[in-house]
Amino acid sequence: AQSVTQLDSHVSVSEGTPVLLRCNYSSSYSPSLFWYVQHPNKGLQLLLKYTSAATLVKGINGFEAEFKKSETSFHLTKPSAHMSDAAEYFCVVSLLNTDKLIFGTGTRLQVFP
Amino acid sequence: NAGVTQTPKFRVLKTGQSMTLLCAQDMNHEYMYWYRQDPGMGLRLIHYSVGEGTTAKGEVPDGYNVSRLKKQNFLLGLESAAPSQTSVYFCASTQDRAANTGELFFGEGSRLTVL
């Protein structure tokens, strides 16, 4: 069965420092993986996606994620955090040719000045 | 440029009352979804629809019913609300299978409290 585990429920960083949000996945097939962002009191927005092409995926707002099959990981990174990055981030897995996405439990990112 | 619109945005119910959440999308999308979001549990799929006139159960369907009579609308009903249904509900839509593109378009959520 497909699943994702977000290893940190909260991450705090200072503005200008790197961001690392960790996600491990479990899949018996080659997965498609995604990161979504949810700003306070808003709906979710797709940040980036991996669908078996390049293993390093670039998304919006300077975020990127690397698919590592050997480690079953899909961690989200950003070189320099901005105050506007404060939000909740969800790692998501799917199985190709189904109608469903499976969401992780989320990581809340706090950015301090 | 509305995208996905949910109504109402807030609602307080008493146990046993019924209500309907409306989701409307103006992107002519085939697929529509209802999720609930609870602290520490991420998003869980309640019901979904792969086209007008179709519905299917998701991960947590009990206590909810849905209808997709028109392509642009997806209704979520609670026949007899329970405190366990206190949650934030999100509607989402996409043109292609969600698993293929991964890009769901979300509404801003409906916060429901059941007393």
Side-chain angles (χ1 to χ4, degrees), chain B residues 2 5 14 21 24 29 35 40 42 47 59-60 79-80 92 100-101 104 111 114-115:
Chain B
T5 304
K14 294 181 180 179
L21 296 175
H29 284 170
Y35 289 91
H47 286 282
E59 187 182 356
V60 288
E79 290 185 346
S80 179
N100 290 350
T101 68
L104 295 177
R111 185 175 295 275
V114 183
L115 303 176

PDB file of all heavy atoms in Angstrom, chain B residues 2 5 14 21 24 29 35 40 42 47 59-60 79-80 92 100-101 104 111 114-115:
ATOM      1  N   ALA B   2     -12.761  32.499 -10.450  1.00  0.00           N
ATOM      2  CA  ALA B   2     -13.159  32.005  -9.140  1.00  0.00           C
ATOM      3  C   ALA B   2     -12.441  30.700  -8.793  1.00  0.00           C
ATOM      4  O   ALA B   2     -12.034  30.510  -7.663  1.00  0.00           O
ATOM      5  CB  ALA B   2     -14.657  31.810  -9.093  1.00  0.00           C
ATOM      6  N   THR B   5     -15.055  27.167  -5.399  1.00  0.00           N
ATOM      7  CA  THR B   5     -15.726  27.944  -4.370  1.00  0.00           C
ATOM      8  C   THR B   5     -16.530  27.037  -3.463  1.00  0.00           C
ATOM      9  O   THR B   5     -17.310  26.205  -3.941  1.00  0.00           O
ATOM     10  CB  THR B   5     -16.672  28.978  -5.013  1.00  0.00           C
ATOM     11  OG1 THR B   5     -15.921  29.797  -5.913  1.00  0.00           O
ATOM     12  CG2 THR B   5     -17.312  29.849  -3.946  1.00  0.00           C
ATOM     13  N   LYS B  14     -25.813  21.620  15.738  1.00  0.00           N
ATOM     14  CA  LYS B  14     -26.035  20.811  16.929  1.00  0.00           C
ATOM     15  C   LYS B  14     -26.056  19.339  16.518  1.00  0.00           C
ATOM     16  O   LYS B  14     -26.411  19.005  15.371  1.00  0.00           O
ATOM     17  CB  LYS B  14     -27.348  21.192  17.588  1.00  0.00           C
ATOM     18  CG  LYS B  14     -27.366  22.605  18.160  1.00  0.00           C
ATOM     19  CD  LYS B  14     -28.688  22.910  18.826  1.00  0.00           C
ATOM     20  CE  LYS B  14     -28.683  24.317  19.397  1.00  0.00           C
ATOM     21  NZ  LYS B  14     -29.983  24.666  20.033  1.00  0.00           N
ATOM     22  N   LEU B  21     -22.844  20.935   2.301  1.00  0.00           N
ATOM     23  CA  LEU B  21     -21.779  21.811   1.825  1.00  0.00           C
ATOM     24  C   LEU B  21     -21.777  21.774   0.306  1.00  0.00           C
ATOM     25  O   LEU B  21     -21.858  20.695  -0.300  1.00  0.00           O
ATOM     26  CB  LEU B  21     -20.414  21.339   2.350  1.00  0.00           C
ATOM     27  CG  LEU B  21     -20.198  21.375   3.855  1.00  0.00           C
ATOM     28  CD1 LEU B  21     -18.839  20.769   4.197  1.00  0.00           C
ATOM     29  CD2 LEU B  21     -20.303  22.792   4.385  1.00  0.00           C
ATOM     30  N   ALA B  24     -18.430  24.389  -5.900  1.00  0.00           N
ATOM     31  CA  ALA B  24     -18.653  24.762  -7.301  1.00  0.00           C
ATOM     32  C   ALA B  24     -17.317  25.098  -7.944  1.00  0.00           C
ATOM     33  O   ALA B  24     -16.531  25.835  -7.363  1.00  0.00           O
ATOM     34  CB  ALA B  24     -19.594  25.963  -7.388  1.00  0.00           C
ATOM     35  N   HIS B  29     -13.776  20.887 -14.846  1.00  0.00           N
ATOM     36  CA  HIS B  29     -13.032  19.698 -14.445  1.00  0.00           C
ATOM     37  C   HIS B  29     -13.941  18.489 -14.302  1.00  0.00           C
ATOM     38  O   HIS B  29     -15.085  18.597 -13.854  1.00  0.00           O
ATOM     39  CB  HIS B  29     -12.316  19.952 -13.113  1.00  0.00           C
ATOM     40  CG  HIS B  29     -11.105  20.812 -13.257  1.00  0.00           C
ATOM     41  ND1 HIS B  29     -10.436  21.335 -12.157  1.00  0.00           N
ATOM     42  CD2 HIS B  29     -10.409  21.219 -14.349  1.00  0.00           C
ATOM     43  CE1 HIS B  29      -9.400  22.037 -12.574  1.00  0.00           C
ATOM     44  NE2 HIS B  29      -9.366  21.982 -13.904  1.00  0.00           N
ATOM     45  N   TYR B  35     -12.420  16.338   0.980  1.00  0.00           N
ATOM     46  CA  TYR B  35     -11.492  15.914   2.021  1.00  0.00           C
ATOM     47  C   TYR B  35     -11.912  16.555   3.342  1.00  0.00           C
ATOM     48  O   TYR B  35     -12.524  17.600   3.366  1.00  0.00           O
ATOM     49  CB  TYR B  35     -10.071  16.398   1.717  1.00  0.00           C
ATOM     50  CG  TYR B  35      -9.379  15.707   0.568  1.00  0.00           C
ATOM     51  CD1 TYR B  35      -9.477  16.208  -0.732  1.00  0.00           C
ATOM     52  CD2 TYR B  35      -8.590  14.577   0.783  1.00  0.00           C
ATOM     53  CE1 TYR B  35      -8.818  15.595  -1.779  1.00  0.00           C
ATOM     54  CE2 TYR B  35      -7.934  13.960  -0.259  1.00  0.00           C
ATOM     55  CZ  TYR B  35      -8.049  14.473  -1.533  1.00  0.00           C
ATOM     56  OH  TYR B  35      -7.401  13.862  -2.580  1.00  0.00           O
ATOM     57  N   GLY B  40      -3.013  17.035  12.911  1.00  0.00           N
ATOM     58  CA  GLY B  40      -2.136  15.884  13.021  1.00  0.00           C
ATOM     59  C   GLY B  40      -2.502  14.709  12.141  1.00  0.00           C
ATOM     60  O   GLY B  40      -1.859  13.657  12.209  1.00  0.00           O
ATOM     61  N   GLY B  42      -3.474  15.192   8.622  1.00  0.00           N
ATOM     62  CA  GLY B  42      -3.421  15.513   7.202  1.00  0.00           C
ATOM     63  C   GLY B  42      -4.801  15.600   6.597  1.00  0.00           C
ATOM     64  O   GLY B  42      -5.787  15.902   7.278  1.00  0.00           O
ATOM     65  N   HIS B  47     -15.287  11.372  -0.078  1.00  0.00           N
ATOM     66  CA  HIS B  47     -15.905  10.859  -1.300  1.00  0.00           C
ATOM     67  C   HIS B  47     -15.299  11.600  -2.474  1.00  0.00           C
ATOM     68  O   HIS B  47     -14.747  12.685  -2.317  1.00  0.00           O
ATOM     69  CB  HIS B  47     -17.415  11.112  -1.304  1.00  0.00           C
ATOM     70  CG  HIS B  47     -18.223  10.236  -0.405  1.00  0.00           C
ATOM     71  ND1 HIS B  47     -18.558   8.937  -0.709  1.00  0.00           N
ATOM     72  CD2 HIS B  47     -18.791  10.499   0.799  1.00  0.00           C
ATOM     73  CE1 HIS B  47     -19.298   8.431   0.263  1.00  0.00           C
ATOM     74  NE2 HIS B  47     -19.454   9.356   1.199  1.00  0.00           N
ATOM     75  N   GLU B  59     -11.656   7.310   1.802  1.00  0.00           N
ATOM     76  CA  GLU B  59     -11.074   6.678   2.984  1.00  0.00           C
ATOM     77  C   GLU B  59     -12.000   6.706   4.189  1.00  0.00           C
ATOM     78  O   GLU B  59     -12.039   5.759   4.991  1.00  0.00           O
ATOM     79  CB  GLU B  59      -9.780   7.429   3.302  1.00  0.00           C
ATOM     80  CG  GLU B  59      -8.910   6.876   4.389  1.00  0.00           C
ATOM     81  CD  GLU B  59      -7.705   7.767   4.615  1.00  0.00           C
ATOM     82  OE1 GLU B  59      -7.528   8.773   3.867  1.00  0.00           O
ATOM     83  OE2 GLU B  59      -6.945   7.494   5.549  1.00  0.00           O
ATOM     84  N   VAL B  60     -12.759   7.794   4.358  1.00  0.00           N
ATOM     85  CA  VAL B  60     -13.614   7.970   5.534  1.00  0.00           C
ATOM     86  C   VAL B  60     -15.025   8.399   5.131  1.00  0.00           C
ATOM     87  O   VAL B  60     -15.467   9.503   5.445  1.00  0.00           O
ATOM     88  CB  VAL B  60     -12.992   8.990   6.516  1.00  0.00           C
ATOM     89  CG1 VAL B  60     -11.776   8.405   7.212  1.00  0.00           C
ATOM     90  CG2 VAL B  60     -12.612  10.290   5.796  1.00  0.00           C
ATOM     91  N   GLU B  79     -26.233  13.874   7.170  1.00  0.00           N
ATOM     92  CA  GLU B  79     -27.643  13.629   7.492  1.00  0.00           C
ATOM     93  C   GLU B  79     -27.942  13.838   8.969  1.00  0.00           C
ATOM     94  O   GLU B  79     -28.989  14.357   9.333  1.00  0.00           O
ATOM     95  CB  GLU B  79     -28.033  12.216   7.068  1.00  0.00           C
ATOM     96  CG  GLU B  79     -28.085  12.049   5.556  1.00  0.00           C
ATOM     97  CD  GLU B  79     -28.601  10.668   5.164  1.00  0.00           C
ATOM     98  OE1 GLU B  79     -28.653   9.781   6.040  1.00  0.00           O
ATOM     99  OE2 GLU B  79     -28.936  10.492   3.982  1.00  0.00           O
ATOM    100  N   SER B  80     -27.014  13.428   9.829  1.00  0.00           N
ATOM    101  CA  SER B  80     -27.197  13.548  11.268  1.00  0.00           C
ATOM    102  C   SER B  80     -25.831  13.826  11.871  1.00  0.00           C
ATOM    103  O   SER B  80     -25.073  12.906  12.161  1.00  0.00           O
ATOM    104  CB  SER B  80     -27.791  12.264  11.840  1.00  0.00           C
ATOM    105  OG  SER B  80     -27.940  12.362  13.242  1.00  0.00           O
ATOM    106  N   ALA B  92     -11.892  19.835  -3.835  1.00  0.00           N
ATOM    107  CA  ALA B  92     -10.835  19.987  -4.832  1.00  0.00           C
ATOM    108  C   ALA B  92     -11.318  19.430  -6.162  1.00  0.00           C
ATOM    109  O   ALA B  92     -12.208  18.576  -6.200  1.00  0.00           O
ATOM    110  CB  ALA B  92      -9.557  19.288  -4.391  1.00  0.00           C
ATOM    111  N   ASN B 100      -2.234  11.076 -11.880  1.00  0.00           N
ATOM    112  CA  ASN B 100      -1.397  11.310 -13.042  1.00  0.00           C
ATOM    113  C   ASN B 100      -0.737  12.677 -13.004  1.00  0.00           C
ATOM    114  O   ASN B 100       0.451  12.807 -13.293  1.00  0.00           O
ATOM    115  CB  ASN B 100      -2.232  11.182 -14.322  1.00  0.00           C
ATOM    116  CG  ASN B 100      -2.645   9.738 -14.582  1.00  0.00           C
ATOM    117  OD1 ASN B 100      -2.161   8.824 -13.924  1.00  0.00           O
ATOM    118  ND2 ASN B 100      -3.536   9.536 -15.520  1.00  0.00           N
ATOM    119  N   THR B 101      -1.508  13.677 -12.680  1.00  0.00           N
ATOM    120  CA  THR B 101      -0.964  15.039 -12.707  1.00  0.00           C
ATOM    121  C   THR B 101      -0.577  15.539 -11.325  1.00  0.00           C
ATOM    122  O   THR B 101       0.280  16.393 -11.194  1.00  0.00           O
ATOM    123  CB  THR B 101      -1.989  16.014 -13.296  1.00  0.00           C
ATOM    124  OG1 THR B 101      -3.093  16.130 -12.379  1.00  0.00           O
ATOM    125  CG2 THR B 101      -2.492  15.539 -14.639  1.00  0.00           C
ATOM    126  N   LEU B 104      -4.282  19.035  -7.814  1.00  0.00           N
ATOM    127  CA  LEU B 104      -5.632  19.321  -7.390  1.00  0.00           C
ATOM    128  C   LEU B 104      -5.769  20.822  -7.158  1.00  0.00           C
ATOM    129  O   LEU B 104      -4.858  21.455  -6.643  1.00  0.00           O
ATOM    130  CB  LEU B 104      -5.965  18.582  -6.102  1.00  0.00           C
ATOM    131  CG  LEU B 104      -6.014  17.062  -6.151  1.00  0.00           C
ATOM    132  CD1 LEU B 104      -6.287  16.507  -4.766  1.00  0.00           C
ATOM    133  CD2 LEU B 104      -7.065  16.591  -7.130  1.00  0.00           C
ATOM    134  N   ARG B 111     -15.269  25.461   7.543  1.00  0.00           N
ATOM    135  CA  ARG B 111     -15.028  25.041   8.935  1.00  0.00           C
ATOM    136  C   ARG B 111     -16.364  24.705   9.580  1.00  0.00           C
ATOM    137  O   ARG B 111     -17.229  25.566   9.709  1.00  0.00           O
ATOM    138  CB  ARG B 111     -14.312  26.149   9.705  1.00  0.00           C
ATOM    139  CG  ARG B 111     -13.915  25.746  11.118  1.00  0.00           C
ATOM    140  CD  ARG B 111     -13.098  26.847  11.784  1.00  0.00           C
ATOM    141  NE  ARG B 111     -11.826  27.054  11.103  1.00  0.00           N
ATOM    142  CZ  ARG B 111     -10.725  26.356  11.334  1.00  0.00           C
ATOM    143  NH1 ARG B 111     -10.730  25.399  12.257  1.00  0.00           N
ATOM    144  NH2 ARG B 111      -9.618  26.626  10.685  1.00  0.00           N
ATOM    145  N   VAL B 114     -19.564  20.883  15.272  1.00  0.00           N
ATOM    146  CA  VAL B 114     -20.770  20.183  15.723  1.00  0.00           C
ATOM    147  C   VAL B 114     -20.748  20.124  17.251  1.00  0.00           C
ATOM    148  O   VAL B 114     -19.829  19.543  17.841  1.00  0.00           O
ATOM    149  CB  VAL B 114     -20.855  18.767  15.131  1.00  0.00           C
ATOM    150  CG1 VAL B 114     -22.163  18.094  15.576  1.00  0.00           C
ATOM    151  CG2 VAL B 114     -20.767  18.810  13.619  1.00  0.00           C
ATOM    152  N   LEU B 115     -21.750  20.744  17.853  1.00  0.00           N
ATOM    153  CA  LEU B 115     -21.801  20.806  19.319  1.00  0.00           C
ATOM    154  C   LEU B 115     -22.594  19.643  19.911  1.00  0.00           C
ATOM    155  O   LEU B 115     -23.474  19.094  19.242  1.00  0.00           O
ATOM    156  CB  LEU B 115     -22.420  22.144  19.742  1.00  0.00           C
ATOM    157  CG  LEU B 115     -21.702  23.396  19.212  1.00  0.00           C
ATOM    158  CD1 LEU B 115     -22.462  24.640  19.621  1.00  0.00           C
ATOM    159  CD2 LEU B 115     -20.274  23.435  19.734  1.00  0.00           C
TER     160      LEU B 115
END
